[in-house]
Amino acid sequence: MGDLTSAADYKTAPPPPVAEPVRHPVDATLRLLGWAWVLVRHDALAPREITHLLPVWVRPLIHLLHMFAGREGREGRPGQRLGKAFEHLGPVAIKLGQVLATRADIFGVEFARDLGRLKDALAPFPVDQARREIERSLGRTVESLFIDFGPPVAAASLAQAHPAWLADGRKVAVKVLRPGVERRVTQGLDSMRLAARLAVRFVPLARRLEPSAFVETIARALRLELDMRLEAAAASELKDIMDKGREAVGGHMTAPAVIWDGVGKRVLTLEWAPGVAMTDPRAIEQPGLDVNALADNVVRAFLTQALDHGTFHADLHEGNLFCHAPAELTAIDFGIVGRLGPAERRYLAEILWGFLSRDYDRISRVHFEAGYVPPEHSVEAFAQALRAVGEPVIGKAASQVSMGRLLGQLFEITALFDMHLRPELILLQKTMVSVEGVARRLNPDHDLWEASRPVVERWIRRELGPQAQVRDALEELRATLKALARLAQTPPQPQTVVIRETRTPAWMIATVTLAAAASAAALVLSLWPGIV
């Protein structure tokens, strides 16, 4: 195993994304008020089911809000009402709902299932509009591309998917952006930027979470997601990465191939994904399917992508995963891709290995070396705090762990040690939340740590073991020899230093001399009575 006692060589973290201005403050303010009203009408801002859990002094205000709830707020469970509210609020809110839907262990299975319909159960737009979007984007008729083009089979917040067949008989999935979705995303992000600024100004506890940087990171990801050509490139890249993983370590996930003739700014065509969508209740009932192995593979696929390649699918929820026996996974929807540099990959691996080996001192040192904890705090005290969080969790089944309480503890610790949200790790954290949620819905007693162990152990051995140390030493020697060779070929040129003697003008010398004489005379005259 590698040496985890030496100091990690971390690079300076990249600066947070530059916060863009709120372009239309009045419209953004009115839209925020409209969002709040939609949540109130759906009884989703402070659902009646949780009123008894709130402080006594808040309850009269909440009861007042409940009086304004409409018919939508009187029907259905909280997750159903919140899901309907998010559908009204548009793509940006739906993305938030997708993250919440992954946390059945915090909000409950029923809530997650109700909110989970946001993944692929929205109302589709007409087929005629989809055909027009395809022809406008690709400059060709639908008939010249496909021998058959079917009605939508899935409709999400930004796009919907249609089955189609190529001339060679292959079945493909054609993804088409919703008409006008770019404008709705721009408006939603403008309101989110305003909300972030209000949170920074009026909610001190929110400042260390860097809400503005968080919004800009999400905005950047959404802009990439709204160009199908970029998603096609991401799909191709991730397929190569997943295929390499299958060859090297047995693989855990694959991706469909891109049909480049069917790719445009608003259209993406992929081979049809095998298996059954994991949102379908029949998925886990497939003959020969090993649910436990499938849960392990979800975790290991993500870690293999992140650690081995520094590039990972950053939207791994059930709506984007298909499965088939014995435990095969196929990912779709590559609009959001996360990337980690060498420093962040080493940070992630060492933190995970530290928890697996219960080396809290090492975890603490890595946090300080990476700059995640300000240097004025104590390494030993932070290690003690990490032990308080890790010991109750390591080695226990998920059903025995309260993730809500665990996250609450972590939040208190990060506040105690002045830790700020690192914008470059937002997608990593979001994906880890999604992956863990998927694995634990497949197997409620799934042990995330044991599933992680083979991938993390292999990475540590390869990157920090003796062979890696020899390799790094040889690379450093090679770089040094190259630098010396360049220096020998192009020695530094001697620099000529020109010293110019400057002479003070005569008039300046006379002026200074007279001023000095006058000052001396004044000093003597002021002291003369005392002298005589």
Side-chain angles (χ1 to χ4, degrees):
M1 191 55 58
D3 178 16
L4 298 183
T5 60
S6 59
D9 181 19
Y10 290 102
K11 298 178 181 178
T12 302
V18 177
E20 293 189 14
V22 178
R23 303 187 185 282
H24 303 286
V26 175
D27 291 345
T29 301
L30 294 176
R31 197 173 298 110
L32 272 183
L33 293 174
W35 288 3
W37 177 246
V38 169
L39 292 173
V40 169
R41 291 288 294 173
H42 286 80
D43 189 21
L45 189 63
R48 58 181 178 272
E49 289 84 355
I50 67 167
T51 303
H52 65 283
L53 301 176
L54 300 175
V56 175
W57 62 271
V58 178
R59 294 177 191 176
L61 175 61
I62 301 304
H63 286 306
L64 179 63
L65 292 179
H66 291 163
M67 294 175 60
F68 292 96
R71 179 176 57 84
E72 306 94 338
R74 293 188 292 270
E75 298 177 352
R77 296 181 293 272
Q80 293 174 325
R81 301 198 301 270
L82 184 60
K84 291 178 181 178
F86 281 160
E87 288 179 18
H88 280 83
L89 296 179
V92 175
I94 288 174
K95 286 298 175 186
L96 174 61
Q98 290 176 353
V99 175
L100 296 179
T102 65
R103 298 316 309 214
D105 46 1
I106 298 176
F107 303 108
V109 175
E110 186 176 67
F111 180 89
R113 185 183 300 117
D114 291 338
L115 200 56
R117 71 184 300 271
L118 287 166
K119 295 183 176 71
D120 59 1
L122 300 186
F125 56 90
V127 176
D128 291 343
Q129 285 189 8
R131 295 173 71 95
R132 286 196 296 270
E133 292 291 339
I134 293 171
E135 292 175 353
R136 186 181 302 117
S137 183
L138 300 181
R140 298 170 59 184
T141 64
V142 172
E143 289 73 17
S144 68
L145 292 164
F146 314 109
I147 59 174
D148 192 12
F149 185 80
V153 292
S157 57
L158 300 179
Q160 68 185 29
H162 296 256
W165 285 261
L166 301 177
D168 59 8
R170 281 184 294 169
K171 186 178 182 181
V172 296
V174 184
K175 184 177 179 180
V176 186
L177 283 181
R178 287 181 175 273
V181 70
E182 294 92 343
R183 177 179 55 83
R184 296 192 68 188
V185 168
T186 300
Q187 293 174 343
L189 289 174
D190 212 32
S191 297
M192 283 185 65
R193 291 187 177 102
L194 177 60
R197 284 161 173 73
L198 293 174
V200 168
R201 182 164 185 176
F202 298 108
V203 186
L205 289 176
R207 292 171 188 166
R208 66 185 184 83
L209 299 178
E210 306 289 353
S212 294
F214 175 81
V215 171
E216 296 307 328
T217 301
I218 297 301
R220 182 187 301 166
L222 280 171
R223 282 195 292 269
L224 295 176
E225 198 170 357
L226 289 173
D227 190 331
M228 296 288 98
R229 297 168 298 186
L230 298 178
E231 182 172 345
S236 177
E237 180 183 7
L238 282 170
K239 177 174 173 55
D240 289 344
I241 287 173
M242 293 176 190
D243 289 346
K244 289 177 183 176
R246 294 177 69 86
E247 294 171 4
V249 295
H252 310 291
M253 186 180 290
T254 188
V258 178
I259 309 299
W260 288 101
D261 287 343
V263 174
K265 182 174 175 57
R266 299 180 56 80
V267 181
L268 169 66
T269 306
L270 299 171
E271 288 185 347
W272 193 260
V276 181
M278 290 183 63
T279 49
D280 190 332
R282 297 172 298 174
I284 61 174
E285 299 174 358
Q286 297 178 77
L289 188 71
D290 187 338
V291 177
N292 296 329
L294 195 65
D296 286 344
N297 284 348
V298 172
V299 175
R300 291 169 184 169
F302 159 67
L303 288 176
T304 299
Q305 295 167 32
L307 290 178
D308 290 350
H309 303 280
T311 303
F312 59 93
H313 191 306
D315 203 12
L316 287 174
H317 57 73
E318 285 99 333
N320 291 336
L321 290 171
F322 288 70
C323 64
H324 61 91
E328 301 297 318
L329 285 162
T330 301
I332 61 170
D333 196 351
F334 305 92
I336 306 179
V337 175
R339 299 187 185 277
L340 297 175
E344 290 76 29
R345 289 157 65 183
R346 177 166 178 168
Y347 167 80
L348 172 62
E350 292 202 35
I351 292 300
L352 289 173
W353 182 252
F355 273 112
L356 287 169
S357 59
R358 301 167 69 180
D359 187 352
Y360 301 106
D361 290 334
R362 178 56 191 168
I363 301 173
S364 179
R365 289 197 299 274
V366 170
H367 273 80
F368 278 83
E369 291 161 4
Y372 282 67
V373 182
E376 62 267 19
H377 290 285
S378 165
V379 175
E380 293 76 15
F382 188 64
Q384 180 182 351
L386 289 171
R387 182 180 294 274
V389 174
E391 284 300 303
V393 177
I394 300 298
K396 289 191 176 181
S399 59
Q400 298 176 295
V401 177
S402 169
M403 289 302 296
R405 186 176 65 182
L406 174 63
L407 292 178
Q409 284 182 287
L410 285 172
F411 189 83
E412 292 173 5
I413 288 174
T414 56
L416 184 63
F417 288 88
D418 301 319
M419 293 173 62
H420 283 244
L421 179 68
R422 299 291 290 248
E424 74 272 15
L425 297 181
I426 287 175
L427 288 178
L428 175 69
Q429 295 166 343
K430 168 187 175 293
T431 309
M432 290 185 74
V433 167
S434 300
V435 165
E436 184 187 6
V438 172
R440 288 186 171 172
R441 272 192 298 280
L442 287 168
N443 176 11
D445 290 329
H446 183 258
D447 190 333
L448 176 70
W449 305 107
E450 282 304 310
S452 306
R453 182 182 293 274
V455 179
V456 178
E457 195 173 76
R458 186 185 73 249
W459 191 93
I460 292 290
R461 184 179 294 109
R462 185 182 69 241
E463 299 296 329
L464 301 180
Q467 292 182 351
Q469 293 176 11
V470 172
R471 181 195 62 204
D472 293 343
L474 290 175
E475 286 295 328
E476 290 181 6
L477 178 61
R478 181 182 176 188
T480 302
L481 293 175
K482 281 187 175 181
L484 291 174
R486 285 195 298 269
L487 187 63
Q489 292 173 358
T490 56
Q493 299 295 323
Q495 296 182 354
T496 303
V497 179
V498 178
I499 301 177
R500 294 182 179 178
E501 182 180 354
T502 59
R503 300 183 62 183
T504 306
W507 65 267
M508 185 177 293
I509 296 174
T511 302
V512 172
T513 302
L514 289 174
S519 299
L523 178 62
V524 170
L525 289 175
S526 64
L527 297 176
W528 183 256
I531 296 174
V532 299

